[in-house]
Amino acid sequence: MIEDREPIRVALLGCGTVGTEVVRLLQEHPTEYAARTGAPVRVTGVAVRRPHKHPDVPEQLLTTDAAALVEGSADVIVELIGGIEPARSLLLAALRAGKSVVTANKALLAEHGSELYAAADANGVDIYFEAAVAGAIPLLRPLRESLAGDRINRVTGIVNGTSNYILSAMDSTGAGYEETLEEANRLGYAEADPTADVDGFDAASKAAILASLAFHTRVGAGDVHREGISGIGAGDIEAARSLNRTVKLLAICERVIDEDGTESVSARVHPAMIPRDHPLAGVGGAFNAVFVEAESAGQLMFYGQGAGGAPTASAVLGDLVAAARNVVVSGKGPRESAHAQLPARAMDWTPTRYHISLDVADRPGVLSQVAATFNEHDVSISVVRQQGRGADASLVVVTHTAADSALRATVEQIARLSSVNEVASVMRVEGEQS
Ligand code: NDP
Ligand code: HSE
């Protein structure tokens, strides 16, 4: 009988938005977790900062001493505190003590993933982290395992629910930035410090994890170019709409191959205009979606809830069952795969496309002056649209692909032209043929 087997002891570090749901589900469905694991799964302790805030957790399980819980008898440690310290030290101590680890902590993995993988490997235990990217969506296991026989060329994702919630509301209802951020906070999507969401830090950590798995290369948070959404205004949303596009905060991880065949990895997070018929354009609210392009599999789309207590707990519990099952059968999950070690490509040399909206004087020669600036920087123009407005005109230019530094330099020079009153909007364009 499974119930008679030696239980798998689980210690939880953190019991907030996600941890509360993990505890609830473990308490509600013990028989199912036992059947799936091959042994009863027993929570032996829950570390928090303020025990009085957790009336739903049995009192005898609560402790403020996370380090003692890690040193104790648990077989698996589930870390749901977030941030770098004390999470890093606690997880290293757990792994070194031969305990498997489940974590949802993208910031920690993006900064110290290699150290954690090495400790797991050296001690023959597991580190699972499905919830760290795109919440409930089974994404990392497919990248790590199902696609291990393929060659991934590009991963493009909406991986931050909070910023997608804000951009979607700005696009569909014209709602303001602050009010939608407050609502995202209330719904439990936003990080403790929401600047991590709106300034792109959260998505950059996730991009580092995705790029590492997709390209079998160590990519850290510092390798990811990052821009957030706090500078996006109604004018940018409107500019996109007028071209039948929408604005999304994208995490883009791609294999870039130079003419001489040299490969590198570009990982970046920034807002971008995408066509309204692109599969990612319809991803609204706090939903996440990740679009994977692989050599043999072709295009794959992963879609679902990327944040929130219960959805994230689903991914954490999937990992917990996997780690616990490995304890039962003395098995081991996948190790880090970083054999390719491709160099990181700087944003300056990453090929991108720009949409530039200008407010210019409506007089002869302005268009040729602007066009000459593009030419000077070897940037080719794909679309030009001009509309007169009395003495002034609005000029929209969409470029072909060029090095990002060349595009930036072009915009800077255009802004200095005497015929240009204002650079009204500049945004990268993704998801269409260059
Ligand atoms: P919360 O802020 O809601 O919860 C954090 C928990 O950690 C709280 O229970 C807090 O205790 C506890 N805690 C903080 N510091 C310590 C400490 N030093 N020792 C012991 N306990 C401590 O975080 P979330 O549940 O939202 O997130 C947890 C992790 O999951 C993070 O890594 C996050 O990035 C990730 N994640 C979150 C998602 C979400 O939608 N919320 C989605 C995907 C991933 P107390 O309650 O007493 O204050
Ligand atoms: N704050 C994150 C988001 C939670 O908004 O997507 C999920 O990682």
Side-chain angles (χ1 to χ4, degrees), residues 13-20 47-51 53-54 63-66 79-83 85-86 90 103-107 131-135 188-192 202 206 306-309 312 316:
L13 312 181
C15 192
T17 305
V18 182
T20 301
V48 293
R49 269 177 313 194
R50 301 162 298 173
K53 295 265 182 185
H54 301 274
T63 174
T64 53
D65 193 346
E79 185 272 312
L80 297 167
I81 293 176
E85 288 294 353
L90 290 167
T103 178
N105 193 333
K106 54 255 163 173
V133 182
Y189 304 144
E191 296 298 304
D202 176 77
K206 292 167 178 171
T312 308
V316 170

Side-chain angles (χ1 to χ4, degrees), residues 106 131-132 134-135 159-163 189-191 197 202 206 288 306-308:
K106 54 255 163 173
V159 292
N160 183 264
T162 304
S163 50
Y189 304 144
E191 296 298 304
D197 296 298
D202 176 77
K206 292 167 178 171
N288 282 192

Side-chain angles (χ1 to χ4, degrees), residues 332-418:
K332 168 118 177 57
R335 308 168 55 178
E336 180 190 25
S337 172
H339 63 87
Q341 281 307 2
L342 299 177
R345 192 168 186 103
M347 187 63 186
D348 277 356
W349 308 115
T350 295
T352 61
R353 298 179 66 198
Y354 275 29
H355 164 282
I356 304 157
S357 179
L358 305 171
D359 180 2
V360 297
D362 196 0
R363 60 170 189 255
V366 171
L367 194 54
S368 66
Q369 218 181 15
V370 170
T373 313
F374 281 93
N375 196 25
E376 220 174 287
H377 293 275
D378 209 16
V379 173
S380 169
I381 292 173
S382 163
V383 177
V384 182
R385 193 186 280 178
Q386 180 169 350
Q387 198 166 20
R389 281 190 315 232
D392 297 331
S394 130
L395 184 63
V396 170
V397 179
V398 182
T399 72
H400 282 296
T401 302
D404 200 75
S405 54
L407 289 159
R408 244 186 5 259
T410 309
V411 174
E412 280 164 18
Q413 194 171 326
I414 284 175
R416 291 195 295 271
L417 294 176
S418 59

Side-chain angles (χ1 to χ4, degrees), residues 49-64:
R49 269 177 313 194
R50 301 162 298 173
H52 62 280
K53 295 265 182 185
H54 301 274
D56 296 338
V57 179
E59 205 181 330
Q60 70 277 11
L61 292 181
L62 287 168
T63 174
T64 53

Side-chain angles (χ1 to χ4, degrees), residues 41-112:
V41 177
R42 183 173 301 156
V43 177
T44 55
V46 179
V48 293
R49 269 177 313 194
R50 301 162 298 173
H52 62 280
K53 295 265 182 185
H54 301 274
D56 296 338
V57 179
E59 205 181 330
Q60 70 277 11
L61 292 181
L62 287 168
T63 174
T64 53
D65 193 346
L69 206 51
V70 167
E71 277 167 25
S73 62
D75 303 292
V76 183
I77 304 293
V78 178
E79 185 272 312
L80 297 167
I81 293 176
I84 306 297
E85 288 294 353
R88 172 181 161 273
S89 304
L90 290 167
L91 291 194
L92 283 173
L95 295 165
R96 286 171 186 154
K99 297 162 201 277
S100 288
V101 157
V102 172
T103 178
N105 193 333
K106 54 255 163 173
L108 179 61
L109 289 160
E111 293 272 350
H112 298 283

